[in-house]
């Protein structure tokens, strides 16, 4: 791919991803949309630069999923997706920033959750970092800041809106989830190889859907894979 084509793609990406926050407002929140093995009810609570999706039920002790939004998005944009994730019986600590690539805001959200909800997460909860698009790429950076146990990157952009600063530790489980209809942050030619290059324990999943599937309902195939790995690494 030539530099000219890359520049054109970058311009298209910036223009389209800026519409995530606007498009997200059109989607109603549907608690319970996660389906499957969901067993917890969820309340949504506000912190400083963070929103928490707090589970109730299950065994009463929960691990933490830190979430970073795509460019231009907020935690409200992903409200149904994150509600469905928390219904799997994990506490979701979602940064409210629309630029989550550095991982700083996700780090803050997770640390707030550890303090604020210490009675239900315990003294040493497992932590997975996650996010969509810019937030997906940024989930690697957040994992390094938090010394996280795992990374669940949803359609991660690792080129235009953020870059992975350095590889995650060799014992960190990583999955990058891509979809065949995604023209903004596709697996090839760069994003999957960047994920793989910065991971030791790497898995890749591919489903159907466009780049905007995660802002609709429980996220389609991308959301289904996300919840599968939440269950694998944070619940079971």
């Amino acid at each position: 791919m030539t530099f000219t084509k890359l520049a054109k793609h970058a311009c298209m990406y910036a223009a389209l991803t800026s519409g995530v926050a606007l498009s997200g407002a059109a989607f109603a929140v549907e608690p319970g949309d996660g389906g499957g093995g969901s067993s917890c009810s969820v309340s949504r609570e506000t912190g400083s630069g963070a929103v928490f999706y707090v589970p109730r039920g299950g065994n009463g002790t929960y691990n933490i999923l830190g979430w970073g939004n795509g460019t231009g998005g907020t935690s409200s944009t992903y409200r149904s997706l994150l509600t469905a994730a928390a219904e799997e019986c994990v506490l979701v600590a979602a940064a409210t920033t629309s630029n989550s690539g550095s991982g700083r805001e996700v780090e803050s959200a997770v640390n707030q959750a550890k303090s604020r909800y210490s009675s239900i997460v315990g003294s040493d909860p497992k932590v997975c970092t996650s996010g969509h698009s810019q937030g997906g790429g940024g989930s690697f950076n957040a994992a390094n800041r938090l010394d996280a146990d795992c990374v669940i990157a949803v359609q991660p952009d690792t080129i235009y809106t953020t870059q992975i600063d350095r590889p995650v530790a060799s014992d960190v489980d990583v999955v990058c989830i891509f979809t065949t209809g995604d023209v903004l942050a596709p697996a090839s030619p760069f994003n999957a190889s960047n994920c793989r290059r910065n991971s030791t324990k790497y898995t890749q999943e591919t489903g159907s859907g466009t780049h905007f599937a995660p802002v609709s309902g429980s996220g389609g195939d991308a959301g289904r894979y996300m919840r599968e790995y939440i269950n694998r690494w944070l619940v079971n």
Side-chain angles (χ1 to χ4, degrees):
M1 184 178 288
T2 66
F3 176 81
T4 301
K5 288 182 178 178
L6 282 171
K8 288 180 178 178
H9 190 88
C11 290
M12 177 183 71
Y13 183 91
L16 290 176
T17 52
S18 66
V20 172
L22 296 176
S23 63
F27 298 109
V29 179
E30 299 176 359
D33 197 34
S38 302
S39 59
C40 281
S41 61
V42 176
S43 61
R44 187 173 184 269
E45 303 175 10
T46 302
S48 175
V51 170
F52 305 104
Y53 295 78
V54 185
R56 303 293 177 192
N59 66 12
T61 303
Y62 313 106
N63 292 315
I64 300 174
L65 181 81
W67 176 264
N69 306 306
T71 306
T74 69
S75 60
S76 295
T77 307
Y78 300 94
R79 187 164 179 170
S80 288
L81 177 74
L82 299 181
T83 298
E87 286 175 339
E88 302 299 323
C89 297
V90 296
L91 195 155
V92 178
T96 57
T97 181
S98 60
N99 293 287
S100 57
S102 71
R104 291 186 183 91
E105 292 83 0
V106 173
E107 176 189 25
S108 174
V110 170
N111 285 335
Q112 283 184 64
K114 287 181 177 180
S115 174
R116 179 169 175 165
Y117 301 104
S118 60
S119 64
I120 61 173
V121 301
S123 60
D124 188 28
K126 290 187 68 175
V127 174
C128 259
T129 54
S130 186
H132 175 234
S133 195
Q134 179 181 164
S139 61
F140 284 80
N141 298 330
N144 281 325
R145 289 179 172 277
L146 288 160
D147 192 23
D149 300 281
C150 42
V151 172
I152 302 173
V154 181
Q155 297 170 311
D157 173 45
T158 63
I159 307 165
Y160 299 117
T161 59
T162 196
Q163 294 182 349
I164 300 171
D165 293 336
R166 59 186 171 87
V168 296
S170 61
D171 61 345
V172 175
D173 289 301
V174 174
V175 62
C176 285
I177 301 165
F178 298 99
T179 57
T180 54
D182 186 355
V183 298
L184 299 181
S188 297
F190 303 117
N191 287 310
S193 60
N194 286 341
C195 287
R196 186 177 296 107
R197 185 181 304 116
N198 286 282
S199 312
T200 299
K201 298 173 66 178
Y202 179 66
T203 304
Q204 186 171 312
E205 300 287 359
T206 303
S208 63
T210 71
H211 190 69
F212 296 103
V215 305
S216 177
S218 58
D221 277 359
R224 176 174 59 81
Y225 278 123
M226 176 182 167
R227 292 188 298 279
E228 176 183 324
Y229 281 87
I230 286 172
N231 271 286
R232 185 177 301 183
W233 292 339
L234 290 178
V235 178
N236 296 323

